[in-house]
Amino acid sequence: MLRAERGVSRRQLADALGVHYQTVGYLERGEYSPSLYLALKLAEYFEVPVEVVFSTKPFPRIGA
């Protein structure tokens, strides 16, 4: 959601984080749990606390 709100492509975000663009897709779909380092880099990139991006509980679906 953060990526889409800010008009950042998967490839742009991947380049900024130093990962493959498919990794961003896996993260967005919840198919991959990032390392703490990657989670912190992602939160830093969007300038938000890591808890805004990741949680131990599933986020509610948008519109639910």
Side-chain angles (χ1 to χ4, degrees), residues 9-57:
S9 72
R10 282 186 181 160
R11 194 169 299 274
Q12 288 171 318
L13 180 56
D15 289 346
L17 298 175
V19 298
H20 193 275
Y21 76 93
Q22 288 179 326
T23 301
V24 174
Y26 295 141
L27 287 168
E28 291 178 343
R29 291 187 302 275
E31 297 173 3
Y32 174 73
S33 295
S35 66
L36 177 58
Y37 179 74
L38 181 54
L40 292 170
K41 280 180 66 172
L42 190 57
E44 182 180 6
Y45 177 84
F46 287 113
E47 299 178 328
V48 296
V50 72
E51 295 88 354
V52 170
V53 185
F54 297 100
S55 173
T56 57
K57 297 176 186 167

